[in-house]
Amino acid sequence: MDIKITKTTAPKAKPPVDSLGFGVYFTDHMFVMDYTKGNGWHDPQILPYGPIPMDPSCAVLHYGQAVFEGLKAYRTADNQVLLFRPYNNMNRINESNERLCIPQIDVDFAVEAIKKLVKIDQDWIPDAPGTALYIRPFIFAADPFLGVHPASTYKFIVILSPVGAYYKEGLNPVKIYVEDSYVRAVRGGMGFSKTAGNYAASLKAQEEAEKKGYTQVLWLDGVERKYIEEVGAMNIFFKIDGKVVTPALNGSILAGITRNSCLEILNSWGIDAKEAKISIQEVYEAYENGKLEEVFGTGTAAVISPVGELCWNGKKITINNGEIGPISQKLYDTITGLQSGKLEDTFNYTVKL
Ligand code: PLP
Ligand code: COI
């Protein structure tokens, strides 16, 4: 399929790099492609960024049949542009599509479309340390229809946003509230999918945690409220007695691409890093025994985010004196080094534009 390109005649001013924040500014163009039952995906276009017409009865507004992804483009010192594991993101959107009854997209075509869009807006890629161009592909049900039924028309859109750190703390440790009353997902539900409803389900707990002075919540399993799942926008890792562990994929957490990269990188360093079922009780016991060495979150937006404090059932624990630990720092340096082209990519994670 050829992508029809219409360039803007009114390019926007670029925001100052120190005011980027996360997801506030959007570039000059977007990618849009339509799906109609019988006709498949068609009419791929890159066009000026702007509002999209939508009927008030549009299915996604009522029943949330929507999926999304998040990945980043980075500028290297020699002015090349690198994407980090984009095929993984497009494979994952298809896994989410499957769960949400949304038609599959062609992974290679989607990556090509992302590359084309990023190329057109490449002047928007910031180059200051810790900044990147965030890429947000998403698909939603577009039928003007109020019946509860998988739609027969969809839109696949990609928008771009120059970003800085996701958390105001940057690389400083964040405080995380262990959620003991609300749940985000249960096995058999949609927890493993990157779908709008999972984030809607998280807002109330997130708001209450913020009021108590915490940055995000750590979810426990939805049945026994014992086993650790993930944080609002990241997966979670614990270093206990020299070994690193992250909750095993169980259908209710997102299979994070940064999580997978961290496991591979840690193991390449000879560090014992594995996926396992781990309870919050075990983490607190490790703390009591002086064996809880580091806790950190991983995600595209957050990269590596050290956790300095956990609060569970009113009991607060401080990890590594509230400072970033050596493994968290080394992982951050390695992942950002690979992403920005400073380190040789022996893992084959990056894709050149
Ligand atoms: N868990 C949730 C709920 C997320 O939203 C994200 C962010 O995408 C992650 C984990 C981390 O996933 P990834 O490393 O693929 O960005
Ligand atoms: C990401 O890390 O890409 C995310 O999507 C997290 C959040 C902004 C929802």
Side-chain angles (χ1 to χ4, degrees):
M1 270 189 296
D2 281 339
I3 301 176
K4 184 177 166 214
I5 298 174
T6 312
K7 295 249 184 96
T8 182
T9 50
K12 295 181 270 196
K14 313 257 183 324
V17 75
D18 55 357
S19 75
L20 289 179
F22 182 85
V24 183
Y25 300 99
F26 299 95
T27 65
D28 285 323
H29 298 90
M30 61 184 181
F31 171 83
V32 181
M33 176 165 72
D34 292 300
Y35 177 92
T36 328
K37 209 173 192 160
N39 204 3
W41 288 107
H42 58 88
D43 283 342
Q45 291 191 62
I46 289 174
L47 63 172
Y49 182 95
I52 44 176
M54 199 179 244
D55 196 284
S57 64
C58 185
V60 69
L61 298 178
H62 301 271
Y63 309 123
Q65 196 192 359
V67 297
F68 73 95
E69 269 303 327
L71 66 158
K72 283 175 174 171
Y74 308 81
R75 190 183 293 288
T76 67
D78 58 353
N79 232 1
Q80 294 198 56
V81 177
L82 299 178
L83 302 178
F84 190 72
R85 311 190 78 179
Y87 294 94
N88 296 57
N89 290 91
M90 292 303 99
N91 280 318
R92 190 170 66 185
I93 208 171
N94 270 341
E95 284 166 24
S96 302
N97 282 338
E98 213 281 318
R99 180 63 180 84
L100 274 289
C101 301
I102 295 174
Q104 299 282 295
I105 55 159
D106 182 310
V107 168
D108 291 329
F109 179 76
V111 172
E112 283 315 306
I114 288 171
K115 282 177 158 177
K116 244 190 191 126
L117 178 65
V118 171
K119 197 164 207 167
I120 287 176
D121 277 345
Q122 62 179 314
D123 289 352
W124 285 82
I125 307 174
D127 58 5
T131 65
L133 186 69
Y134 185 75
I135 303 167
R136 169 55 63 88
F138 60 105
I139 305 176
F140 64 87
D143 286 8
F145 174 57
L146 290 187
V148 180
H149 196 269
S152 43
T153 56
Y154 296 88
K155 269 193 189 300
F156 175 34
I157 300 183
V158 185
I159 56 175
L160 308 174
S161 173
V163 297
Y166 185 66
Y167 299 124
K168 66 174 180 0
E169 289 87 346
L171 235 201
N172 294 318
V174 293
K175 290 165 68 177
I176 302 281
Y177 189 80
V178 183
E179 182 54 54
D180 51 13
S181 95
Y182 300 108
V183 299
R184 171 188 177 272
V186 288
R187 223 166 310 151
M190 305 191 299
F192 70 91
S193 319
K194 217 161 159 58
T195 182
N198 286 337
Y199 297 81
S202 75
L203 297 177
K204 186 76 180 156
Q206 165 85 19
E207 186 180 64
E208 291 183 11
E210 277 174 15
K211 275 194 199 131
K212 293 180 193 127
Y214 290 85
T215 304
Q216 285 212 345
V217 304
L218 174 61
W219 296 104
L220 299 179
D221 74 277
V223 178
E224 297 182 80
R225 315 231 177 136
K226 262 167 73 175
Y227 297 100
I228 294 172
E229 300 239 307
E230 62 181 334
V231 180
M234 359 182 243
N235 295 109
I236 187 101
F237 283 71
F238 302 90
K239 181 160 177 267
I240 297 174
D241 202 16
K243 293 180 180 164
V244 178
V245 61
T246 189
L249 301 179
N250 57 1
S252 65
I253 66 173
L254 191 75
I257 294 161
T258 323
R259 171 188 179 278
N260 174 267
S261 312
C262 285
L263 286 168
E264 289 182 348
I265 292 169
L266 285 165
N267 282 304
S268 80
W269 293 339
I271 293 176
D272 182 350
K274 62 175 193 306
E275 307 170 74
K277 197 168 178 178
I278 175 167
S279 70
I280 186 69
Q281 185 75 38
E282 283 172 73
V283 169
Y284 268 63
E285 275 167 19
Y287 172 80
E288 302 295 345
N289 299 331
K291 292 187 170 163
L292 181 61
E293 294 157 12
E294 293 184 43
V295 181
F296 56 92
T298 66
T300 298
V303 195
I304 300 293
S305 179
V307 176
E309 182 183 315
L310 286 175
C311 177
W312 175 48
N313 274 337
K315 193 159 174 237
K316 293 180 187 176
I317 59 175
T318 301
I319 298 121
N320 194 40
N321 297 317
E323 287 163 18
I324 183 166
I327 288 292
S328 313
Q329 181 72 57
K330 194 171 167 197
L331 274 175
Y332 177 84
D333 292 343
T334 304
I335 292 207
T336 53
L338 293 169
Q339 291 168 336
S340 62
K342 267 191 217 126
L343 294 179
E344 191 200 341
D345 183 6
T346 50
F347 295 92
N348 256 329
Y349 287 161
T350 53
V351 172
K352 277 195 194 120
L353 214 58

